[in-house]
């Protein structure tokens, strides 16, 4: 993503795969609304629904068809062969048309039907029945097949999968392509035609370099990404289905961590004995009564079942009220505790530390997403009744939940970041742990407030409960503070914690206990 | 079902009419079931199969000719693309490269061609494939010839 500013004022520059190169000016239909709106808002991607995709596909087909003076069906075959790259089609075609034609099975002449029974009747090469000429079809190569046999042949190819897009004449030694006009004319059912056109659409998305399907569950949108569009380096995409992902690696959004770290981390997780670790991540013994307790809320503040009711931190199992932050990995203490431990064991301990927190934030985020849906569908309505508020006056609650969901995602990935941050980079580690701890503490407070303190206002006492205003002020404040902390954290990690080298930076260095950290 | 029956019946008539046209192939339809065929093919000359007569069994599916027939050797044969125990044949046109324009007769011709030109890279018979791939052509030929003599030639005496 170093080709930062390829944009000039009124053109959208995309790499040579795109046909903007050839049709930037004039009445090109693609030089249009979404492309412009995308540029205007600085957003580097466009969400496409099925109709948008089809339109784009038909536009490139029309463009090739005009420039090469071939039918739309022929243009389709060419584009599909060259991964829907207009540039590549042009290049190959104008370099050597005959080679291209041969490779994709396009004839440059029409042969008469070849048949032993010359005259006005021909024998179908599949059923071997004799038909009058008008019931016999060939794809231009002269090999005769009747309408019914074509229909069966096409249908069986379509039901075999996307290979039907490269369908050839049934004759065993013939490579003439059967294009989409033939399919349209001879397919047996509308169902077959629909499937074929769906394969064609999918091929456009899956084989072109700039569009990918949204990996969200059951999502039918595709996302076109303009990597040369300037702006920051983020690949983050937020689909209309509400799924957010990294367009580059298709994993969950993972700012501020790069794709490489994500992929190492994820494959590491599958390597480590996952079941054991997952159980570890979901149930723990209460540090006081030792009864196994399962995490069900999203925040890390745990309260053991009655009669124990011990309140502790899910992550470090420390007493909740004597507890500031616990994000810091204390390597020294670990070594101290058992000097004889093998390196490997140390590694596992370290890994478990980060994995635990990564996984806990992951599931906490999932729960927050579910909770937010409940808030939107049920709780807001209740609050309108019990507190006599208007809907817009309650937006601060959903704002808070959105903030929680976003922050959990960031926090989760910072634990993968922390795992890979070299241990000998002491100053960076300290800065990292400081910023992460600050952000985490803020988020825990926000999450707890949103999750627990809201409940009291849901009960209908006949009149609005006092203290709602205070709750609102508190939640808004926590939302804002948490956002600031996370912005700071993300910025610092995306800069590779470079503030450390440039000593004396104002904002980040401000609260960071540089001096005392040596001790 | 109707279409496959009609097509097989046409092939049957063609076989009867052209009986002498291809002396290397003798296709026979089961008396009671038009979906079951057997063929006797001659081992191609200048191959270790020369002089042998090999029997093939065809099981034709109801979707024929949109789907390929299943074919296997009934006669033991030592060939990289034929399973030594089951007689199963690895040949692209019997799988993904099938076209409804193939007939049982032309499938037999393709199998004869495969006997003459083995594809050691997609072996069903690993011993045979390994001999060929390691360049031990004589080893492969003598094994193949031995099995041709043992299994595909009429017993003398
Ligand atoms: Zn026909
Ligand atoms: Zn043809
Ligand atoms: Zn989506
Ligand atoms: Zn990524
Ligand atoms: Zn307890
Ligand atoms: Zn803790």
């Amino acid at each position: 993503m170093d080709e930062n500013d390829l944009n000039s004022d009124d053109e959208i520059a995309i790499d040579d795969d795109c046909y903007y190169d050839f049709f930037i000016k004039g009445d090109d239909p693609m030089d249009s609304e979404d492309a412009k709106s995308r540029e205007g808002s600085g957003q580097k991607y466009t969400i496409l629904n099925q109709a948008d995709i089809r339109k784009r596909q038909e536009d490139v087909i029309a463009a090739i068809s005009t420039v090469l003076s071939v039918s739309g069906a022929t243009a389709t075959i060419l584009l599909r062969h060259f991964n829907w790259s207009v540039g590549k089609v042009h290049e190959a075609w104008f370099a050597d048309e005959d080679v291209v034609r041969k490779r994709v099975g396009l004839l440059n002449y029409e042969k008469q039907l070849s048949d032993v029974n010359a005259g006005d009747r021909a024998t179908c090469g599949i059923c071997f029945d004799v038909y009058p000429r008008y019931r016999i079809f060939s794809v231009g190569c002269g090999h005769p097949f009747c309408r019914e046999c074509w229909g069966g042949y096409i249908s069986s190819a379509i039901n075999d999968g996307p290979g039907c897009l490269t369908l050839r004449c049934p004759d065993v030694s013939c490579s003439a392509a059967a294009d989409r006009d033939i399919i349209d004319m001879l397919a047996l059912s509308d169902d077959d035609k629909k499937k074929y056109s769906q394969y064609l659409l999918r091929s456009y998305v899956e084989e072109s370099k700039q569009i990918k399907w949204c990996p969200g569950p059951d999502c039918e949108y595709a996302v076109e990404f303009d990597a040369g569009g300037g702006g920051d380096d983020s690949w983050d995409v937020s689909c209309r289905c509400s799924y957010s992902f990294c367009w580059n690696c298709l994993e969950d959004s993972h700012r501020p961590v790069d794709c490489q770290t994500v992929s190492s981390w994820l494959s590491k997780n599958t390597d480590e004995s996952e079941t054991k670790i997952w159980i570890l991540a979901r149930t723990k013994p209460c540090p006081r009564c030792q009864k196994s307790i399962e995490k069900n809320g999203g925040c890390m503040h745990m309260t053991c079942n009655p009669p124990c009711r011990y309140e502790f931190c899910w992550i470090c199992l420390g007493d909740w009220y004597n507890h500031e932050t616990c994000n810091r990995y204390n390597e020294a203490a670990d070594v101290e505790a058992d000097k004889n431990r093998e390196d490997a064991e140390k590694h596992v301990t370290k890994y478990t530390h980060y994995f635990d927190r990564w996984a806990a934030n992951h599931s906490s985020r999932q729960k927050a997403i579910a909770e937010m849906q409940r808030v939107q569908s049920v709780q807001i309505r209740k609050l309108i009744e019990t507190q006599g508020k208007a809907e817009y006056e309650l937006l601060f609650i959903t704002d808070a939940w959105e903030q929680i969901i976003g922050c959990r995602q960031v926090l989760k990935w910072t634990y993968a970041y922390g795992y890979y941050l070299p241990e000998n980079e002491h100053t960076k580690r300290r800065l990292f742990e400081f910023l992460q701890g600050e952000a985490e503490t803020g988020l825990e407070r926000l999450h707890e407030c949103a999750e627990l303190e809201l409940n009291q206002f849901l009960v209908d006492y006949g009149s609005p409960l006092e203290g709602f205003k205070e709750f609102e002020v508190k939640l808004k404040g926590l939302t804002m503070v948490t956002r600031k902390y996370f912005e700071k954290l993300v910025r610092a990690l995306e800069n590779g914690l470079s503030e450390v080298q440039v000593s004396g930076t104002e904002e980040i260095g401000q609260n960071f206990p540089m001096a005392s950290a040596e001790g | 079902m109707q279409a496959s029956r009609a097509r097989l019946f046409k092939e049957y008539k063609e076989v009867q009419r052209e009986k002498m046209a291809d002396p290397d192939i003798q296709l026979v339809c089961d008396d009671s079931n038009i979906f079951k065929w057997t063929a006797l093919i001659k081992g191609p000359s200048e191959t270790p199969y020369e002089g042998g007569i090999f029997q093939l069994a065809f099981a034709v599916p109801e979707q024929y000719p949109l789907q390929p027939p299943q074919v296997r050797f009934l006669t033991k044969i030592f060939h990289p693309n034929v399973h030594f125990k089951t007689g199963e044949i690895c040949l692209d046109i019997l799988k993904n490269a099938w076209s409804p324009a193939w007939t049982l007769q032309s499938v037999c011709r393709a199998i004869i061609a495969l006997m003459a030109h083995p594809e050691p890279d997609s072996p069903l018979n690993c011993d045979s494939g390994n001999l060929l791939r390691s360049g031990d052509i004589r080893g492969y030929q003598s094994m193949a010839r031995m099995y041709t003599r043992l299994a595909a030639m009429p017993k003398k005496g």
Side-chain angles (χ1 to χ4, degrees), chain A residues 183-431:
Chain A
I183 308 283
D184 267 348
M185 178 168 65
L186 297 172
L188 287 178
S189 65
D190 287 345
D191 201 42
D192 282 351
K193 287 182 199 174
K194 218 193 239 158
K195 273 190 202 154
Y196 184 87
S197 102
Q198 205 57 30
Y199 281 130
L200 200 60
L201 184 95
R202 272 167 49 181
S203 138
Y204 179 68
V205 172
E206 283 155 27
E207 281 152 36
S208 72
K209 299 257 156 37
Q210 288 158 303
I211 306 180
K212 289 179 183 173
W213 292 115
C214 165
D218 299 321
C219 179
E220 292 200 330
Y221 292 113
V223 182
E224 183 183 45
F225 201 93
D226 173 14
D232 61 15
D233 283 354
S234 170
W235 292 100
D236 278 2
V237 160
S238 185
C239 180
R240 239 175 269 162
C241 74
S242 88
Y243 191 78
S244 304
F245 61 99
C246 166
W247 193 87
N248 190 41
C249 70
L250 295 182
E251 294 296 343
D252 267 9
S253 295
H254 51 69
R255 282 189 85 179
V257 176
D258 61 36
C259 301
Q260 182 50 48
T261 307
V262 169
S263 117
S264 321
W265 177 255
L266 291 177
S267 62
K268 178 162 194 56
N269 293 349
T270 28
D271 292 348
E272 306 280 340
S273 73
E274 59 226 62
T275 36
K276 194 187 104 207
I277 286 163
W278 271 110
I279 290 167
L280 201 70
R282 279 187 192 137
T283 65
K284 284 182 182 177
C286 161
R288 183 191 279 167
C289 71
Q290 305 304 321
K291 272 198 196 120
S292 166
I293 120 159
E294 193 180 344
K295 189 157 173 304
N296 44 26
C299 83
M300 303 300 167
H301 182 176
M302 303 301 295
T303 306
C304 185
N305 295 322
C308 172
R309 294 184 209 275
Y310 182 61
E311 290 175 62
F312 62 98
C313 164
W314 167 258
I315 300 273
C316 68
L317 301 179
D319 185 336
W320 184 255
Y321 293 100
N322 293 315
H323 172 268
E324 284 291 334
T325 64
C326 68
N327 66 306
R328 179 170 298 132
Y329 175 61
N330 193 342
E331 199 200 350
D334 261 324
V335 176
E336 197 74 10
D338 188 351
K339 282 203 160 79
N340 301 327
R341 254 189 315 195
E342 299 280 331
D343 267 5
E345 221 176 303
K346 210 172 94 191
H347 163 85
V348 169
T349 316
K350 175 183 171 185
Y351 170 70
T352 311
H353 170 92
Y354 288 103
F355 182 84
D356 248 7
R357 285 153 180 80
W358 179 84
N361 278 293
H362 177 78
S363 59
S364 169
R365 177 172 186 266
Q366 299 309 109
K367 283 181 188 121
I369 289 171
E371 184 64 18
M372 166 135 160
Q373 269 154 11
R374 213 165 60 89
V375 165
Q376 282 173 318
S377 61
V378 182
Q379 298 191 342
I380 296 285
R381 207 164 310 141
K382 266 194 191 158
L383 285 173
I384 292 174
E385 286 168 22
T386 59
Q387 306 303 319
K389 296 281 178 189
E391 198 165 348
Y392 71 87
E393 291 177 293
L394 298 169
L395 281 178
F396 73 96
I397 299 176
T398 39
D399 284 351
W401 280 103
E402 268 171 11
Q403 189 68 46
I404 292 167
I405 291 164
C407 290
R408 285 287 172 207
Q409 183 90 329
V410 170
L411 190 57
K412 164 179 144 181
W413 285 112
T414 62
Y415 279 107
Y417 184 96
Y419 178 79
Y420 290 106
L421 188 60
E423 264 155 47
N424 53 9
E425 301 240 32
H426 298 294
T427 322
K428 281 195 178 185
R429 283 202 78 89
R430 277 205 315 276
L431 175 59

Side-chain angles (χ1 to χ4, degrees), chain A residues 125-130 145 149 152-154 156 160 169-172, chain B residues 3 6-7 10-11 14 65-67 97-103 106:
Chain A
I126 292 177
C127 65
F128 301 158
D129 280 331
V130 179
F145 301 96
C149 288
Y153 178 64
I154 288 168
S156 125
D160 274 353
C169 163
D171 185 87
V172 298
Chain B
R7 156 82 184 245
K10 290 237 166 57
E11 288 195 45
E14 185 70 11
L66 292 175
Q67 272 168 26
W98 171 256
S99 158
W102 289 97
T103 61
S106 59

Side-chain angles (χ1 to χ4, degrees), chain A residues 83-94:
Chain A
N83 294 334
W84 300 97
S85 156
V86 171
K88 281 190 201 146
V89 172
H90 283 157
E91 198 183 302
W93 184 268
F94 293 122

Side-chain angles (χ1 to χ4, degrees), chain B residues 46-61:
Chain B
E46 288 164 45
T47 71
Y49 311 106
E50 183 169 5
I53 304 283
F54 296 84
Q55 194 176 20
L56 300 171
F58 286 78
V60 183

